Amino acid sequence: IARAHVHHERVIPGVYGLPLGHYITHQLGATQVVLRKAAMRTFAKLMAAVGSTALLPALLRATEHPRNAYIRESGCRLIILALLTNSSVRRFDFDPPSLVRSVAALLHDSSERVRVCVMELLALLAQRPPRNAAALDVVALLRPVGLDPHSALAADLRSRLANTSLALPSINADGL
């Protein structure tokens, strides 16, 4: 046991030899809710410390996870958190059309929770564009990545974007 402990001490700087972001992303897919929430809080604290822009590539990789819907949903939720906490102090620099195209595949996800989450992300981008950005035509941005403007999915998306009476995502008491 002592040898194994020493071995792990040599590897710890990256948590079992993996980059810290990869390890925390993996925890977003844990089966225990407590671990998933702890990983979300850790990402939120990292965003506060290093800025959301630095974590965007890791969050986009999380939305592309091939097997775990919890990880894809959490990645999308963390992008929403980055957008909501964007301020002049903690600037979140990104290209809105590029972000829309990056999450477009999630509209076809097998998990309903992921599809709903990405619709909320797109509604947030459309109704609250970032500073100095023009209003986004999300449906037009999604056409080049394969969204048929006459499909049921496009109709659902247009309906969500047009219904401004529905509440946009917000930050809860836990900061998530």
Side-chain angles (χ1 to χ4, degrees), residues 25 28 57-65 68 71-75:
T25 302
L28 291 173
L59 298 177
L60 288 174
R61 276 194 306 277
T63 64
E64 297 167 355
H65 196 277
N68 197 318
I71 294 176
R72 293 190 302 272
E73 179 188 2
S74 296

Side-chain angles (χ1 to χ4, degrees), residues 55-89:
L55 294 175
L56 185 60
L59 298 177
L60 288 174
R61 276 194 306 277
T63 64
E64 297 167 355
H65 196 277
R67 292 184 302 269
N68 197 318
Y70 287 131
I71 294 176
R72 293 190 302 272
E73 179 188 2
S74 296
C76 191
R77 289 189 185 282
L78 286 165
I79 292 171
I80 290 171
L81 179 66
L83 291 169
L84 291 173
T85 58
N86 191 13
S87 67
S88 59
V89 176

